[in-house]
Amino acid sequence: MFKANIYTERREQLREKIKSGLILFLGNQESSMNYPGNTYPFRQDSSFLYFFGLDSPGLAGLIDVDENRSVLYGNDVDVEEVVWMGDQPLLKDRARQVGVKETYPLDKLEKILRQAIRKGRRIHFLPPYRPENCLKIEKLLGISSSLVPDYASEELIKAVVAQRLIKSKEEIEEIEKAHSLTYEMHTQAMKMAKAGVYEREIVGQMEGLVFSAGCLTAFPTILTINGQILHNHYHGNVLQKGRMVVNDSGAESSMHYAADITRTCPVDGKFSSPQKEVYKIVLNAQKTAIELMKPGIKFKDVHLKAAHTIASGLKELGLIKGNVDDAVKAGAHALFFPHGLGHPMGLDVHDMEDLGEKYVGYDETVKKSQQFGLAALRFAKPLKSGYVLTVEPGVYFIPKLIDKWKEDKKNTQFIDYQKVEKYRDFGGIRIEDDVLVTNEGARVLGKPIPKEVEEVEEITATE
Ligand code: GLY
């Protein structure tokens, strides 16, 4: 946990942005897997962590904007619980570690909130994404659970998004701790990418590194020889010579800051010529995009530049034809690059996706496009110093998508479908780094993980 003053300052900064009322942050509780007592690994809510720092279940934080007070609600363990869980530090002592002086048992929260409602005071809360918290808000505030998301406070969402998007020095250090572990995961995976190895063996080794460091993965690992499936969580294939492995994975630091890295490597250490050609196109698109990043530029324009670079490269291979500007405008490149260039990252791997893409990724200067490909862009607005975003272009050959576009005669003036057929079984390539926007431009976070062709081949060939 950070020092207490960091949490106090964060709450103070938030309080100044909210006109009046009470701000309620519900922490997460344990969530059952297959029977009540058998729970998933506990993961605290990220906004609760950001403002109240305590990483345990069953807590709620309340900021009284008008009275300038912060309060934590939660229950200390009783003797029966001590038998099973051991003694736990008292809430009042833990609260002090995050700069909170007032604590109460959880059952007092409902009374305080009901009193505030009777006085006509506004209760601000964020949209809950867990059913348990939706039901809790129903009980606490008397709002039908189906309507709870509609009553979330837009004023609070906007304030939290603005605050959490800008990462402080301490947060960057945490993200880079996650990168140290993620470096180990990826280099280990590359060394294991040999014919005859199961995907799941590599996943097991990588996740073992994370768990033995006392951390969690930031999201379910994507490791596959079928990289054309963007979020493939099946790990049962055997690696074969001639295929590539897409590894999109990352650890969280012990304070839950994420890393999210993708590398693509050839099985047994040697790209084929077509693989190398496409790999270089993706790498060029990624580097070009990172080069462009600086405060003020819209991330949508960075995405479009990456799309243009991919389309130009594919034109050289004969897969795209005609004028590249027109092809990108028509969205023809999205047959091969159907997703967005990246997303913000921090305490969540898709930072604050629970608060709504229209608040996190878009603003009055840039509206969401409905065009296939661009519609999947999670973040489009102008960059600011302190933002952390992933930059993850890719090129994929998705047989069903190719067939559909061909059948619909989509973008026939820009796509040579006959040539595309030759790549039908190619798979996919994605390369991803996490990038901090600085005053001057941008910096790739973490110790560099091999991504040049020669570096990737060398480490993949290592025994
Ligand atoms: N890296 C996985 C994701 O962005 O969802």
Side-chain angles (χ1 to χ4, degrees):
M1 155 181 340
F2 294 123
K3 291 208 178 97
N5 69 308
I6 289 190
Y7 299 101
T8 305
E9 281 160 21
R10 286 174 175 179
R11 291 190 298 269
E12 186 52 29
Q13 195 183 332
L14 180 66
R15 201 181 68 81
E16 280 168 11
K17 291 236 188 78
I18 303 295
K19 280 196 220 79
S20 66
L22 294 158
I23 308 172
L24 173 65
F25 287 104
L26 286 183
N28 282 335
Q29 59 191 64
E30 298 278 18
S31 191
S32 300
M33 277 193 292
N34 50 343
Y35 57 90
N38 206 23
T39 55
Y40 291 103
F42 175 71
R43 176 54 159 85
Q44 184 57 288
D45 173 74
S46 297
S47 289
F48 183 88
L49 271 180
Y50 185 86
F51 291 104
F52 284 93
L54 298 186
D55 191 6
S56 57
L59 300 172
L62 197 64
I63 302 173
D64 189 320
V65 175
D66 311 301
E67 293 182 11
N68 192 11
R69 286 165 58 207
S70 288
V71 185
L72 267 162
Y73 293 85
N75 298 332
D76 288 319
V77 287
D78 60 25
V79 71
E80 261 184 55
E81 287 164 316
V82 169
V83 171
W84 294 96
M85 305 163 61
D87 221 349
Q88 305 291 320
L90 295 174
L91 179 60
K92 71 175 171 46
D93 296 331
R94 297 167 63 215
R96 231 178 282 128
Q97 293 178 295
V98 292
V100 174
K101 295 189 198 83
E102 285 184 73
T103 59
Y104 296 101
L106 203 51
D107 63 6
K108 296 276 180 268
L109 180 60
E110 186 173 344
K111 196 169 140 224
I112 294 293
L113 293 175
R114 292 294 175 117
Q115 266 174 7
I117 292 169
R118 273 199 297 279
K119 288 184 187 157
R121 300 185 69 197
R122 176 85 201 268
I123 317 283
H124 300 270
F125 60 88
L126 297 173
Y129 51 90
R130 287 200 183 187
E132 304 93 283
N133 275 350
C134 209
L135 292 173
K136 251 190 217 167
I137 291 175
E138 175 175 76
K139 181 163 182 297
L140 289 169
L141 304 182
I143 302 168
S144 159
S145 60
S146 61
L147 296 177
V148 163
D150 300 340
Y151 281 88
S153 163
E154 191 175 46
E155 189 184 351
L156 178 63
I157 293 171
K158 286 183 172 169
V160 170
V161 166
Q163 201 169 331
R164 279 183 55 190
L165 269 180
I166 307 278
K167 305 298 186 284
S168 65
K169 190 169 109 333
E170 297 81 10
E171 289 185 288
I172 298 300
E173 280 169 14
E174 275 304 309
I175 292 174
E176 294 209 286
K177 282 184 201 162
H179 277 106
S180 299
L181 256 176
T182 305
Y183 175 92
E184 299 300 329
M185 292 167 76
H186 275 266
T187 48
Q188 173 73 8
M190 285 174 177
K191 289 177 197 163
M192 287 181 74
K194 302 284 188 300
V197 173
Y198 276 92
E199 293 163 341
R200 60 173 177 257
E201 293 178 68
I202 306 179
V203 174
Q205 287 282 337
M206 287 200 303
E207 297 192 349
L209 286 168
V210 178
F211 298 145
S212 52
C215 296
L216 297 174
T217 53
F219 55 93
T221 295
I222 297 160
L223 184 136
T224 178
I225 54 169
N226 288 315
Q228 75 282 3
I229 303 168
L230 303 184
H231 279 182
N232 193 344
H233 294 128
Y234 176 72
H235 301 141
N237 294 305
V238 183
L239 272 52
Q240 293 146 11
K241 199 172 170 65
R243 297 291 302 177
M244 292 175 291
V245 180
V246 171
N247 176 10
D248 181 346
S249 58
E252 287 189 348
S253 72
S254 58
M255 285 176 56
H256 301 293
Y257 282 86
D260 181 3
I261 298 287
T262 307
R263 289 292 184 267
T264 305
C265 69
V267 175
D268 280 351
K270 206 85 199 136
F271 285 110
S272 68
S273 293
Q275 286 171 349
K276 199 184 290 186
E277 284 165 352
V278 176
Y279 188 94
K280 284 184 172 171
I281 292 170
V282 178
L283 186 58
N284 187 23
Q286 201 225 20
K287 288 180 177 172
T288 305
I290 295 170
E291 191 67 27
L292 214 56
M293 288 170 71
K294 61 177 181 191
I297 189 165
K298 287 186 183 138
F299 198 60
K300 180 179 179 179
D301 292 334
V302 183
H303 167 91
L304 287 172
K305 181 69 182 171
H308 195 281
T309 310
I310 285 172
S312 302
L314 294 180
K315 184 173 173 180
E316 279 178 34
L317 296 186
L319 301 174
I320 278 186
K321 55 190 182 174
N323 180 287
V324 172
D325 289 342
D326 294 342
V328 171
K329 218 174 271 169
H333 63 278
L335 176 62
F336 312 100
F337 174 34
H339 59 76
L341 182 64
H343 51 80
M345 198 196 71
L347 274 166
D348 306 300
V349 67
H350 290 187
D351 215 19
M352 296 174 280
E353 199 159 277
D354 55 319
L355 305 187
E357 186 180 82
K358 71 174 176 173
Y359 301 110
V360 179
Y362 289 79
D363 64 9
E364 58 293 342
T365 69
V366 50
K367 294 289 162 232
K368 178 107 169 160
S369 164
Q370 296 307 314
Q371 188 185 63
F372 180 74
L374 210 44
L377 182 62
R378 292 188 166 102
F379 193 98
K381 67 191 189 188
L383 299 179
K384 286 188 183 168
S385 178
Y387 284 6
V388 172
L389 288 127
T390 67
V391 179
E392 48 178 313
V395 168
Y396 313 87
F397 294 87
I398 307 166
K400 278 218 162 144
L401 187 65
I402 295 167
D403 292 344
K404 180 82 179 93
W405 276 38
K406 196 169 155 187
E407 187 187 313
D408 295 348
K409 301 196 172 22
K410 215 169 156 180
N411 286 312
T412 44
Q413 69 275 42
F414 299 119
I415 295 167
D416 186 331
Y417 283 103
Q418 241 183 348
K419 289 241 170 74
V420 172
E421 268 316 302
K422 298 203 178 95
Y423 287 77
R424 200 176 175 77
D425 300 322
F426 183 94
I429 293 174
R430 178 162 65 252
I431 304 171
E432 173 180 24
D433 283 303
D434 304 327
V435 177
L436 168 69
V437 181
T438 62
N439 289 334
E440 299 76 35
R443 174 167 82 80
V444 176
L445 295 173
K447 179 171 164 186
I449 298 172
K451 68 175 175 181
E452 298 297 332
V453 167
E454 301 70 26
E455 293 170 347
V456 172
E457 288 190 336
E458 189 186 330
I459 186 164
T460 317
T462 310
E463 285 306 324

